[in-house]
Amino acid sequence: MKKRTYSCGLDAAVDVVGGKWKALILWALHHEPLRFGELKRSISGISEKMLIQQLREMETCGLVHREVYHQVPPKVEYSLTEFGQSLNTALLPLGEWGDKHMATIEAIPRD
Amino acid sequence: MKKRTYSCGLDAAVDVVGGKWKALILWALHHEPLRFGELKRSISGISEKMLIQQLREMETCGLVHREVYHQVPPKVEYSLTEFGQSLNTALLPLGEWGDKHMATIEAIPRD
DNA sequence: CGGCATCCGCATCGATACTG
DNA sequence: CAGTATCGATGCGGATGCCG
């Protein structure tokens, strides 16, 4: 989410789902709504800061819904909106492409 | 192209096509092979440095083919490999999603 | 439990100038 | 025409510590 104008739809979509974590979050929430802590545990390696930051951006985009339960201890659940689910659907072919060629990609020399 | 291991295919694919320019380059080359200068002109705003850098990475991935014609003046043509075309195909739904919702995305407040 | 604030290293990207 | 070289700004993302 850096630009305000895009040269094409693909450009816009990559901007929305790009970055290090958004795709993973989207995927994690695809199955079911998750609490903050569950989300954190299900995405290995993410820091609280990045998780909350990405969630906020996705909430602003209307991709994610944030439901607060006023309890002690606090409970907050995140879920995909229909908009978020439509994006997830659009990402499916890309995910399959990745699955198919992941080995190839990982074998690329990077030094 | 930052990571060497991925938690899922979508993660890998976003890593490959992520960043500011790769999707645009992929799209520009989808129609026909282009020379360096043509490519630069067709992607507004890109610097020579970024263009060559991204092209090199995509060449390393096997997404792009680089054909050098030994002439004066020099001529180099870039085209998509079959691998690159398969990625482009997988990106189509995402591009359509972006087209459909681009206005929504651009309307998001970002300050 | 579910955050927010702050500091900071490092990669990314842009601008400019130069070369074969 | 098709790059290469260098410098500098920016900002992503990690680590740590504190709060309701």
Side-chain angles (χ1 to χ4, degrees), chain A residues 44-88:
Chain A
S44 77
I46 193 169
S47 68
E48 292 185 355
K49 173 189 169 183
M50 290 317 295
L51 181 54
I52 195 68
Q53 193 176 95
Q54 306 297 305
L55 281 170
R56 287 282 139 85
E57 286 184 23
M58 294 166 79
E59 194 190 351
T60 309
C61 291
L63 290 169
V64 162
H65 174 70
R66 180 169 181 269
E67 183 77 33
V68 183
Y69 297 84
H70 290 286
Q71 307 174 348
V72 187
K75 169 179 172 181
V76 181
E77 256 191 4
Y78 293 90
S79 58
L80 289 189
T81 61
E82 286 200 13
F83 190 44
Q85 292 185 31
S86 73
L87 176 55
N88 223 322

Side-chain angles (χ1 to χ4, degrees), chain B residues 37-50:
Chain B
E38 295 172 328
L39 212 39
K40 187 187 168 189
R41 276 187 298 278
S42 79
I43 303 177
S44 77
I46 194 169
S47 68
E48 292 183 356
K49 174 187 169 184
M50 290 317 296

Side-chain angles (χ1 to χ4, degrees), chain A residues 22-42:
Chain A
K22 294 231 176 71
L24 260 30
I25 297 175
L26 220 51
W27 185 251
L29 289 177
H30 181 249
H31 314 293
E32 72 216 302
L34 289 178
R35 301 181 54 172
F36 183 84
E38 296 172 328
L39 211 40
K40 188 187 168 189
R41 277 187 298 279
S42 79

